[in-house]
């Protein structure tokens, strides 16, 4: 019986595990290793920050959704991977594998910038449930004691959507409370222009974001690198000092330490078209852990985003390749990697689609519609239901 270990219990890890069980039945021993006991619907964390969601609304217990499928769960962080011995090591011991799927997400590298981050620094973050809960508390304090807000992304970030969402949502909420005039909002980013998003722009994204920010009086600074953060002040590499009462800044992304040795200098791991590691044939890599070369060199380093939609596509491709190999069947042809995103804008929302994800593209859409806001809410409920029942084969 093939032993398959999946590192990570989020979008990619759970989808891969469910797909492997669906494709291989009980002929495979599948284990998920993750230090997080909860699956978090990450796209809803900006809503949690502004008080539109509670933690229980957007989380599921990983053990509860894996157990009915006969998938083992080890609630431990992977300490390291030995690819030559085909073993994963955790605090509880070693886990051997015939196939390994790495879906570990990013290491949030706050330490690269002095004073950055909620744990040892002076800024907040949207990328984990605990960080979002802390940011929500800071948001409440800001409402009681208004002052400047900075939202954005530092150098080395490869996920820009949540920062754009928060800028729009903060603006909309402050206007509802009749206090927007008391809170200047600045969008600070490493992107070379608004709407770049690490993918060289998307359709009319540059003009779209510029116009929307202009209407809302959201100021912006692009192509910026942060030198350090002091209490209530961000200091840029060019010497500019930006005061703030609340700063929600995405940190640089790196590969997770347990698997970073398999990757490039930033710890992201190279793969082929089926997401198989280019050196070890029994290791597959999906989501943020995978290396994708940026479409262009930017003055300040930016990474290519790997959204939930993209990660689920990768997980299905990798699982299909593993299953085919185990059953001695031809490898299926992978789909071209595309992206669909729904961006909340407070009082409306935007639909984004790119096929393929990097230019030149066959299809590129960036459009605003109040309908998209309802679509985003509906998708949240649908995806949580889908994960709860392990229905990875559904769209």
């Amino acid at each position: 019986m093939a032993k398959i270990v999946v590192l990570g219990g989020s979008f990619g890890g759970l989808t891969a595990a469910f797909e492997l069980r669906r494709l291989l039945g009980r002929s495979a021993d599948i284990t998920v290793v993750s230090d997080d006991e909860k699956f978090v619907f990450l796209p809803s964390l900006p809503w949690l920050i502004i008080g539109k969601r509670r933690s229980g609304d957007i989380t599921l217990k990983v053990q509860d959704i894996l157990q009915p499928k006969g998938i083992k769960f080890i609630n431990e962080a992977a300490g390291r991977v030995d690819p030559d011995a085909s073993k994963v090591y955790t605090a509880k011991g070693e886990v051997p594998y015939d196939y390994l799927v790495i879906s570990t997400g990013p290491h949030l590298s706050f330490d690269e910038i002095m004073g950055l981050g909620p744990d040892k620094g002076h800024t907040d973050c949207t990328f984990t449930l605990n960080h979002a809960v802390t940011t929500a508390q800071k948001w409440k304090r800001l409402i009681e004691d208004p002052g400047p807000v900075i939202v954005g992304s530092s150098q080395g970030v490869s996920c820009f959507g949540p920062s754009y969402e928060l800028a729009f949502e903060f603006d909309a909420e402050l206007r509802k409370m009749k206090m927007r005039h008391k809170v200047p909002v600045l969008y600070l980013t490493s992107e070379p222009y608004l709407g770049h998003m690490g993918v060289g722009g998307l359709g009319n994204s540059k003009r779209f974001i510029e116009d929307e920010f202009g209407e809302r009086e959201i100021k912006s600074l692009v192509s910026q690198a942060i030198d350090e953060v002091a209490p209530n002040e961000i200091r840029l590499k060019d010497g500019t000092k930006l005061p703030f009462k609340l700063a929600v800044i995405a940190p640089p992304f790196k590969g997770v330490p347990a698997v970073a040795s398999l990757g490039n200098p930033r710890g992201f791991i190279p793969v082929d078209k089926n997401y198989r590691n280019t050196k070890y044939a029994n290791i597959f890599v999906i989501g943020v852990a995978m290396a994708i070369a940026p479409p262009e060199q930017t003055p300040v380093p930016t990474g290519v985003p790997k959204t939930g939609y993209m990660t689920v596509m990768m997980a299905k491709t990798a699982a299909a390749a593993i299953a085919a190999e185990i059953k001695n069947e031809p490898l299926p042809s992978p789909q071209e990697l595309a992206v669909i995103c729904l961006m909340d804008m407070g009082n409306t929302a935007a639909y984004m689609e790119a096929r393929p994800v990097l230019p030149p593209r066959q299809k590129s859409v960036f459009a605003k519609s109040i309908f998209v806001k309802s679509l985003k809410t509906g998708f949240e409920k649908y995806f949580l239901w889908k994960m709860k029942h392990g229905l990875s084969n559904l769209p």
Side-chain angles (χ1 to χ4, degrees):
M1 180 180 290
K3 293 183 180 294
I4 306 172
V5 174
V6 179
L7 298 186
S10 191
F11 285 78
L14 293 184
T15 298
F18 288 140
E19 279 292 279
L20 287 162
R21 175 59 78 222
R22 182 179 71 84
L23 294 169
L24 293 169
R26 300 289 169 161
S27 65
D29 182 327
I30 303 171
T31 301
V32 172
V33 178
S34 174
D35 60 345
D36 197 337
E37 66 174 1
K38 295 178 181 178
F39 167 77
V40 182
F41 189 74
L42 298 172
S44 292
L45 289 180
W47 282 342
L48 185 147
I49 289 170
I50 61 172
K52 302 295 185 183
R53 294 291 185 276
R54 296 171 300 176
S55 296
D57 299 330
I58 57 172
T59 58
L60 299 169
K61 289 188 176 180
V62 174
Q63 177 67 35
D64 291 349
I65 59 179
L66 291 180
Q67 189 172 14
K69 299 291 184 180
I71 299 170
K72 299 173 187 176
F73 179 48
I74 299 176
N75 188 198
E76 290 285 335
R80 68 183 179 92
V81 172
D82 184 342
D84 296 310
S86 292
K87 291 180 180 179
V88 173
Y89 292 88
T90 76
K92 291 184 178 179
E94 63 184 44
V95 187
Y97 62 83
D98 297 309
Y99 289 92
L100 177 66
V101 179
I102 297 174
S103 184
T104 45
H107 170 66
L108 302 177
S109 193
F110 295 108
D111 291 346
E112 290 188 46
I113 300 173
M114 184 180 297
L116 190 72
D119 300 321
K120 300 178 182 178
H122 312 290
T123 63
D124 287 281
C125 181
T126 65
F127 289 124
T128 73
L129 179 62
N130 289 339
H131 288 162
V133 169
T134 299
T135 307
Q137 295 168 352
K138 300 283 188 67
W139 168 247
K140 290 179 180 177
R141 290 179 209 164
L142 178 89
I143 293 169
E144 297 169 358
D145 184 18
V149 168
I150 302 175
V151 181
S153 303
S154 62
Q155 55 270 33
V157 170
S158 57
C159 183
F160 299 91
S163 295
Y164 280 108
E165 284 195 308
L166 268 184
F168 284 122
E169 289 166 349
F170 282 166
D171 171 78
E173 290 301 302
L174 290 165
R175 291 185 190 281
K176 287 178 185 176
M177 292 182 280
K178 308 295 184 184
M179 55 183 298
R180 177 65 173 84
H181 59 291
K182 298 180 181 180
V183 183
V185 178
L186 172 68
Y187 183 81
L188 173 69
T189 184
S190 52
E191 300 161 90
Y193 53 83
L194 293 178
H196 180 274
M197 297 188 177
V199 295
L202 177 60
N204 65 335
S205 60
K206 181 177 185 291
R207 186 174 71 249
F208 179 96
I209 297 294
E210 287 176 348
D211 289 348
E212 294 293 334
F213 274 12
E215 288 182 14
R216 291 164 172 77
E217 294 185 283
I218 297 172
K219 304 300 182 183
S220 63
L221 282 175
V222 301
S223 203
Q224 296 295 324
I226 298 173
D227 186 42
E228 64 174 335
V229 183
N232 303 116
E233 185 178 80
I234 292 176
R235 298 167 183 171
L236 304 181
K237 293 281 190 181
D238 66 4
T240 303
K241 297 180 179 180
L242 305 171
F244 67 85
K245 265 287 180 65
L246 173 65
V248 187
I249 305 295
F253 281 21
K254 292 179 70 175
V256 170
V259 299
S261 62
L262 296 169
N264 60 26
R266 295 293 298 177
F268 300 116
I269 305 169
V271 297
D272 65 14
K273 64 181 181 179
N274 291 104
Y275 307 108
R276 188 195 302 267
N277 178 238
T278 53
K279 182 177 181 181
Y280 296 96
N282 64 339
I283 296 179
F284 289 73
V285 187
I286 57 179
V288 178
M290 181 193 69
I292 300 182
E296 59 188 359
Q297 186 174 1
T298 54
V300 178
T302 60
V304 177
K306 296 105 175 182
T307 65
Y309 179 88
M310 293 168 64
T311 300
V312 167
M313 287 181 67
M314 296 178 205
K316 290 183 176 182
T317 298
I322 293 170
E325 195 162 285
I326 289 173
K327 293 190 287 187
N328 293 313
E329 296 175 353
L331 293 182
S333 298
Q335 296 182 41
E336 194 164 41
L337 197 58
V339 61
I340 294 176
C341 285
L342 308 174
M343 182 177 72
D344 183 40
M345 299 174 63
N347 56 353
T348 185
Y351 175 85
M352 295 174 279
E353 182 177 356
R355 297 182 183 276
V357 64
L358 296 179
R361 302 184 178 101
Q362 183 69 23
K363 183 178 181 180
S364 183
V365 179
F366 201 117
K368 180 175 68 171
S369 170
I370 190 65
F371 170 73
V372 178
K373 194 170 179 70
S374 299
L375 187 62
K376 187 176 178 74
T377 301
F379 181 73
E380 172 198 75
K381 297 182 185 303
Y382 161 75
F383 199 88
L384 285 165
W385 172 84
K386 173 181 164 179
M387 284 294 103
K388 183 176 181 180
H389 295 91
L391 300 173
S392 56
N393 58 310
L394 295 179

